[in-house]
Amino acid sequence: MAARKVCWVGACATTLTLFAFPAASVHAEEAGRTVNIAEIGSSLLNSDLTMGASMGGTTVNDAGQVLFLSRVQGTDNSNDNAYFIGSSEGLNLVALRHQELPNGGTLASFRGAVLNNAGDVAFAAAINDSGSDYRGIFVGSGDGLTQYARVDQELAAGDGGGSLTGGAMGNLQFNDAGRAIFTAGISHDGDGRRGIFSTSGAGLTELVREYQDISGTDGRPFWQTVASRPGPDFSSNNIGQAVFNAEVDAPAGVLNYFATFISNNGNVSLLSSSNDPLHIGNGERLHTITDTSINDDGVITFRGTIRNQDGNAIDNSLGYFRYDQGQITELVRQGDTVPDGDGTFNNLTTGNTLKHNDVGQMAFRSTVTDGPDGIFRASSDGVVQIARIGDALTDDATLSSLLSSAMIDINDSGTVAYRAVVTVGSQNRNAIYLSDGIDTVQAVRRGVPAGDTSIFSLVTTQEAGLNKHGQVAYRANGTGSAANQIVNLFTPDLHYRVSDDGSFDDGMNWTLSLTPGNPHDVFLASDSNVTVTADAGERNVNSLEIGGGAGQAALHLVQNSTINVAEQVTVKAGGTLGGEGSITGDVVNLSGFVSPGSSPGILSVTGDYTQDEDGTLLIEIGGLNAGIDYDVLDIGGDAVLGGELVLRFIDGFAPTQDDEFDFMQVFGDTFENFELVTIENLEDDFEYDIVGVGTLVALNDGTFIPEPGTLALLSMGGLMLVRRRSRG
């Protein structure tokens, strides 16, 4: 347990935050699916060119599209390179060196590409036209390029006027609405200013420029030139807000100082400065702020240095913080005890080994005093341990080092991807792992098969490329040769990991805290008896398997709930698919139960329905109205039948002669038939016929005989079935 300060500006309180301890759960390489996105010689969907060598870093969006840089084969210049977007659907060329551009010139080089979730790529480029400083910002998705900004573009007089220059053009950010935010130089009376700009391709919005007067400061901000970052340290969100750091050019006699500002669609205000700092309580204040991130709710997370109220240095002066509408929360600090109690945080990292997500969590690497280094996740809920050197992983692997140059990443589920070196026997192997502090999943490891290829070596200096589904894109060299370069995409399998009933849509119930989505193979099995409910609404998965564990597992679809499945739903022993919703796709009942309705109701399968010899279809009948008084299985495709049909009469209802019950509707063809029909809760003298595809016809009057107590019911929670059978 650790004290955490939560402060409103001017007032502070101390709260207690419990550290979360990770459970021991690790999954080997079979805990997911790997797809090869590209390799040398891969063909393209939109060009006659093919993939070349020297593939660059990868990133992946939430649609599973992978962006990467590579040389191409088939042009006049062997050094021509290009940006590509790849997925399981194939590869598209986005931008090619020497490609002709809108408004003249050709691409000379490019950098800093960003892929959004709409599948568009924004990048900064040097242009072969006039002068070495001629640059622009362009956007494309494989069907041509759109110019967003270009050197010499005029700026609005109301913002101070001038035109764009290219020396500082970069630091590109690109949101899902297609808006790019970037830095660029400004030509204005020869003073060489720089600014931050926003555009969606139709005119520029100036967010801030150097030496702009800003309310609340006694000077004007400017940015020191850094070779690797020609402009300010800033971040932006999808609604036009940006946070940036600057040095303030103070009046004569006053030392320059550092400050952090917020731009709200061009309206700039001071957040904190070393002259006018935010106070964090206990006689302490922030001195400098770096590594900022702002989400769409305006919540800012950052790394800060701390001083006392007199401005003097103190011990344990680094921390990570969250700022929300005037409230400051200290997330973690130097000197805090790590979650498992083995040491204290020492150097809280910056740059590539510190990442933010959009829900206020930060993933970071830290050295630890009196303990092994590790990777952790901090939020207002506390600190979670993701990985520590010495951890036991899969296949007798031990985490031996965390590469200082290797980036980490975090998604909005709190899943962290990280690169590490593991020791297997006497050999060291590079690897990528996923963890939420509860589960650890191996995405790839040198020497272990990944899809159809064994990994010869893994590129360790590139970003992990993590999306909201826990998919990881990476670059590697395939079996036997460093020249066999590949780009792969790993998707983790999702297993129901709790022993209680729960929601299908609650990510905390599944591997890595991930909510099942369209790329996932989902497995609902349990060692206990559980019911998982899919509430009204639509969701997508790649495949779904129910049952197969030591306990009973049921998936219950409420009315108006839909699961779209790309491959199929498989029901195995111990599994039940039931409810009143819809499966868009095929269902194969191998050895479990399919039980339409919620006593009763209609379960729809839009694809084919196959029931093997060990499968059971359970229909409950309590009256004459289809879908209201008795269950219906509605099949949009073909039906291949086998196994058992159980017709259970409920609520004291017994049929009379000539009553008909259309319990199964098949809109395609029907093959085979049920091997066994069981009638429950009627006297033995009841006679019936099954006609057509799935119609029960009463040949005489039946007499209802209830089972004693509640054991005759199929309990979706406990899944107990006690049968009293009479056969016609």
Side-chain angles (χ1 to χ4, degrees), residues 28-86:
E29 68 278 356
E30 65 268 22
R33 182 178 75 256
T34 299
V35 175
N36 177 245
I37 299 297
E39 60 186 13
I40 296 174
S42 291
S43 58
L44 306 175
L45 296 175
N46 63 343
S47 172
D48 293 332
L49 302 175
T50 57
M51 295 295 305
S54 301
M55 296 179 183
T58 57
T59 186
V60 59
N61 66 11
D62 291 343
Q65 297 172 305
V66 180
L67 169 68
F68 61 97
L69 181 71
S70 177
R71 290 182 181 172
V72 296
Q73 299 177 143
T75 66
D76 294 334
N77 191 327
S78 61
N79 290 322
D80 280 350
N81 55 7
Y83 281 124
F84 299 89
I85 296 176

Side-chain angles (χ1 to χ4, degrees), residues 633-651:
L633 178 62
D634 187 270
I635 302 169
D638 296 337
V640 181
L641 302 178
E644 185 176 10
L645 168 65
V646 175
L647 299 171
R648 173 180 294 154
F649 287 83
I650 62 172
D651 299 333

Side-chain angles (χ1 to χ4, degrees), residues 465-679:
L466 176 70
N467 70 9
K468 74 174 184 179
H469 299 298
Q471 292 180 293
V472 174
Y474 61 89
R475 180 166 68 96
N477 297 312
T479 306
S481 172
N484 188 16
Q485 298 176 19
I486 57 176
V487 173
N488 280 350
L489 179 66
F490 171 81
T491 304
D493 293 341
L494 300 191
H495 296 261
Y496 194 74
R497 66 182 182 183
V498 298
S499 57
D500 300 319
D501 297 347
S503 169
F504 189 89
D505 301 314
D506 184 353
M508 290 303 298
N509 293 330
W510 302 94
T511 304
L512 296 170
S513 301
L514 296 170
T515 301
N518 62 289
H520 293 129
D521 295 319
V522 180
F523 298 85
L524 172 53
S526 179
D527 290 336
S528 58
N529 296 336
V530 298
T531 295
V532 175
T533 301
D535 292 323
E538 191 170 353
R539 69 277 296 158
N540 305 288
V541 298
N542 185 61
S543 69
L544 173 61
E545 183 177 293
I546 307 168
Q552 304 289 322
L555 175 63
H556 180 73
L557 282 69
V558 304
Q559 193 172 29
N560 298 321
S561 66
T562 299
I563 298 179
N564 302 316
V565 57
E567 294 187 3
Q568 68 181 33
V569 176
T570 304
V571 186
K572 302 176 72 173
T576 297
L577 170 64
E580 298 181 81
S582 177
I583 298 293
T584 304
D586 298 337
V587 172
V588 177
N589 185 2
L590 290 178
S591 49
F593 282 86
V594 171
S595 176
S598 301
S599 296
I602 300 174
L603 178 66
S604 297
V605 176
T606 66
D608 298 336
Y609 177 76
T610 301
Q611 182 166 302
D612 283 4
E613 61 182 7
D614 293 324
T616 300
L617 173 63
L618 172 64
I619 300 294
E620 293 182 320
I621 302 173
L624 298 176
N625 298 305
I628 299 174
D629 298 322
Y630 66 89
D631 293 333
V632 176
L633 178 62
D634 187 270
I635 302 169
D638 296 337
V640 181
L641 302 178
E644 185 176 10
L645 168 65
V646 175
L647 299 171
R648 173 180 294 154
F649 287 83
I650 62 172
D651 299 333
F653 174 77
T656 59
Q657 186 174 348
D658 297 328
D659 284 348
E660 294 186 3
F661 307 89
D662 297 321
F663 63 85
M664 187 168 64
Q665 300 175 357
V666 181
F667 290 88
D669 295 324
T670 302
F671 302 93
E672 306 299 329
N673 211 331
F674 299 107
E675 299 170 10
L676 173 67
V677 177
T678 300
I679 304 294

Side-chain angles (χ1 to χ4, degrees), residues 13 26 206 210 323 422 467 509 636:
V26 293
E206 183 177 307
E210 282 186 305
Y323 178 86
V422 298
N467 70 9
N509 293 330

Side-chain angles (χ1 to χ4, degrees), residues 205-220:
T205 298
E206 183 177 307
L207 301 183
V208 67
R209 68 168 60 191
E210 282 186 305
Y211 300 105
Q212 173 180 332
D213 291 324
I214 297 176
S215 175
T217 64
D218 55 359
R220 298 180 299 173

Side-chain angles (χ1 to χ4, degrees), residues 143-207:
D143 56 357
L145 296 176
T146 300
Q147 177 180 294
Y148 264 40
R150 193 165 179 146
V151 165
D152 295 336
Q153 186 170 344
E154 295 294 325
L155 302 175
D159 291 331
S163 60
L164 292 183
T165 65
M169 186 171 282
N171 300 307
L172 181 63
Q173 299 178 21
F174 189 47
N175 69 25
D176 294 343
R179 178 165 292 275
I181 299 180
F182 62 96
T183 60
I186 303 171
S187 175
H188 184 266
D189 298 331
D191 60 9
R193 298 182 181 186
R194 288 162 291 184
I196 304 176
F197 302 91
S198 171
T199 179
S200 57
L204 290 175
T205 298
E206 183 177 307
L207 301 183

